[in-house]
Amino acid sequence: MIHDVAVIGAGIVGSAVARELSGHRVSVALLEARDDVGDGTSKANTAILHTGFDATPGTLESELVRRGYRLLSDYAQLTGIPVEHTGALLVAWDQEQLDALAGLRDKAEANGYHRCAIVDAAEVYRQVPHLGPGALGGLTVPDESIICTWTVNLALATDAVNRGTTLLTGHRVESVSRRGDLTTLGTTGGTVRARWVVNAAGLGADKVDALFGHRRFTVTPRRGELIVYDKLARALVDKIVLPVPTSRGKGVLVSPTIYGNVMLGPTSEDLTDRSATATSETGFEFLLEKGRVLMPELLAEEVTATYAGLRAAIDHPDYLIDTDAEQHYLLVGGIRSTGLTSGMAVAEHVRDQLLSAGMELATRTDLPDPPAMPNLGEAFPRPYQQADRIAADPAYGRIVCFCERVTEGEVRDACHSVIPPTTLEGLRRRTRVMNGRCQAFFCGAEVQALLEGNRS
């Protein structure tokens, strides 16, 4: 089969691009090197829906994060992606940071966000009473929110498939050749031919770009390690607590999660190994040192999990989205962690770039409704709490993961969904199963049996 467009990478950005393009009368293939969507950079981040208040004004990133915030907020309401509008507070711990708050407020204004306010130390401790001693002041960002990044990715990919996108997992691109109007992609899953190619390969975007003959950027995997504390710690913090950002990133934060936990992190470490998602002793020491200053009471709470994610840092100050009209090739590079928020806006921008390059994109009028996603958010009703749902289907009353209160019905539904899980980790991202205090020690065998039984 010859596709009109092949999108490489089924993370949030690639899935959003495939969804957007399949809303037009073109055939789309979504290629993913791994065995599941959202199994790379998109699965392991701080899961914050950003207003874009601290982006560099005038950049493409600033524009697309601002637009993406509105698009994803609306899409979350349509699909049931859980979002909590907690707000955020940037905390200044010394005079230099305190003096920087006015500049950050001005930057927010320049980015079109007008709700930041500078507050004194008394207000900081009124809002976050368990904060460590020594804060001098803060900057409020009322519209920063927490979101389920797993559900965002799965919703966009599911929507794309429902619209007709062909999802090809296990298709790592290894070669590119072009003859006439067609590009042939040699992948680990077979040959794919397309008239246009969109490279949204994240950590591998520069390598795919090189297959098209370009040498314009280099991806540096930047590891961010995080510590997740038990749900009993949630009473300590009800909003995102941010440091004053630096040139290397937003720094170490304390944040509630959509699943009811509290998160401390991330670190920021440039590596060479693009698969180095293991946590480290030095990373934990760094986070605990920061945590003792930010919120010492948090360190007395039990740790539920630790994890690390890799961000695709590039040697370019902005998003790198560029079209090669002659090769019918479009690069989407350097999207970094803000891609969670900006993904849907990036997809719109890609659509417009393709139109400008001469691609015909006739809008469809027969689109299916957006998918209804299962709720993974602790602040919203879960199946085990819904008597009417249990009465209609007792499987929603049979809990298999007691830490996270995940039911047999939810596991079954995930296994029979449009994009079913192929592994226990994929099932975890779809249901929260095995994500709690025991980390599958109690429920792992039963969950494995359910996964295998529902696949047979």
Side-chain angles (χ1 to χ4, degrees):
M1 180 178 179
I2 298 172
H3 300 275
D4 292 311
V5 187
V7 180
I8 302 173
I12 285 174
V13 173
S15 297
V17 170
R19 172 193 172 274
E20 177 63 37
L21 295 180
S22 58
H24 301 77
R25 298 196 179 281
V26 292
S27 59
V28 180
L30 179 59
L31 282 62
E32 170 55 44
R34 299 171 184 258
D35 293 330
D36 196 5
V37 302
D39 193 33
T41 297
S42 294
K43 74 179 179 183
N45 55 48
T46 50
I48 294 175
L49 180 58
H50 288 296
T51 58
F53 78 98
D54 59 349
T56 301
T59 59
L60 182 60
E61 180 177 19
S62 171
E63 174 189 341
L64 296 183
V65 170
R66 186 166 63 248
R67 170 71 174 154
Y69 179 91
R70 296 193 297 270
L71 289 173
L72 184 51
S73 295
D74 292 343
Y75 190 67
Q77 287 192 327
L78 287 174
T79 58
I81 297 168
V83 177
E84 288 186 53
H85 299 291
T86 59
L89 180 67
L90 276 80
V91 178
W93 296 93
D94 57 39
Q95 190 61 45
E96 182 180 358
Q97 293 178 5
L98 188 66
D99 293 341
L101 295 181
L104 287 168
R105 181 192 56 196
D106 293 344
K107 178 184 278 190
E109 294 279 341
N111 282 318
Y113 185 74
H114 306 290
R115 300 192 63 201
C116 286
I118 296 175
V119 296
D120 61 16
E123 178 61 17
V124 166
Y125 285 103
R126 189 195 70 79
Q127 292 193 21
V128 189
H130 297 282
L131 204 63
L136 302 180
L139 182 75
T140 62
V141 193
D143 298 295
E144 294 283 287
S145 306
I146 57 175
I147 191 169
C148 178
T149 185
W150 300 335
T151 310
V152 171
N153 205 145
L154 188 61
L156 292 167
T158 299
D159 211 351
V161 171
N162 287 344
R163 291 178 171 198
T165 289
T166 300
L167 175 63
L168 300 172
T169 56
H171 279 63
R172 182 182 302 278
V173 175
E174 297 183 322
S175 66
V176 172
S177 62
R178 184 160 179 81
R179 178 174 296 179
D181 292 334
L182 289 180
T183 298
T184 299
L185 302 174
T187 84
T188 51
T191 297
V192 178
R193 294 191 294 170
R195 295 182 177 89
W196 273 89
V197 176
V198 176
N199 173 8
L203 286 166
D206 58 340
K207 293 187 175 181
V208 173
D209 200 47
L211 294 176
F212 281 87
H214 298 284
R215 297 289 189 276
R216 48 189 156 177
F217 73 107
T218 300
V219 169
T220 299
R222 183 166 292 166
R223 181 166 61 183
E225 299 178 54
L226 299 106
I227 299 175
V228 180
Y229 287 89
D230 188 79
K231 290 175 174 56
L232 293 175
R234 181 64 184 264
L236 295 176
V237 58
D238 63 357
K239 59 173 44 63
I240 306 160
V241 180
L242 300 167
V244 176
T246 69
S247 60
R248 285 191 58 81
K250 300 181 186 299
V252 174
L253 57 84
V254 175
S255 174
T257 75
I258 205 75
Y259 318 115
N261 301 87
V262 174
M263 179 172 58
L264 173 67
T267 58
S268 181
E269 179 186 5
D270 287 347
L271 306 173
T272 56
D273 183 353
R274 302 187 189 210
S275 63
T277 56
T279 54
S280 67
E281 182 178 355
T282 56
F284 290 158
E285 288 175 350
F286 174 80
L287 290 178
L288 293 174
E289 178 184 351
K290 294 290 185 181
R292 290 186 188 96
V293 175
L294 290 168
M295 192 170 288
E297 290 180 64
L298 180 61
L299 272 62
E301 300 291 334
E302 293 186 16
V303 172
T304 292
T306 61
Y307 67 94
L310 296 176
R311 309 190 287 282
I314 69 169
D315 46 354
H316 191 273
D318 197 1
Y319 287 179
L320 185 53
I321 301 178
D322 191 44
T323 307
D324 184 331
E326 183 177 348
Q327 289 187 297
H328 282 201
Y329 166 66
L330 192 150
L331 166 68
V332 184
I335 304 301
R336 296 184 288 273
S337 60
T338 52
L340 167 58
T341 300
S342 68
M344 297 184 75
V346 170
E348 286 186 340
H349 187 71
V350 167
R351 174 203 65 199
D352 293 344
Q353 293 289 306
L354 291 174
L355 283 168
S356 297
M359 184 177 183
E360 293 185 10
L361 289 172
T363 303
R364 290 172 53 187
T365 58
D366 59 343
L367 292 177
D369 291 334
M373 303 306 295
N375 166 50
L376 302 191
E378 192 69 9
F380 310 94
R382 303 271 307 287
Y384 79 93
Q385 298 170 312
Q386 299 170 291
D388 56 341
R389 196 167 181 181
I390 295 170
D393 186 346
Y396 293 119
R398 291 195 287 272
I399 294 176
V400 294
C401 171
F402 286 88
C403 296
E404 296 296 293
R405 303 294 193 267
V406 180
T407 66
E408 181 183 319
E410 292 169 276
V411 172
R412 177 203 62 206
D413 291 350
C415 292
H416 295 156
S417 63
V418 173
I419 307 176
T422 58
T423 64
L424 286 173
E425 284 303 306
L427 184 61
R428 182 198 297 262
R429 293 195 298 274
R430 287 161 173 80
T431 62
R432 276 176 46 182
V433 73
M434 309 183 304
N435 210 43
R437 299 180 77 177
C438 83
Q439 290 289 289
F441 180 82
F442 179 78
C443 66
E446 183 177 1
V447 172
Q448 177 75 56
L450 284 173
L451 176 62
E452 293 173 356
N454 278 285
R455 289 195 327 214
S456 61

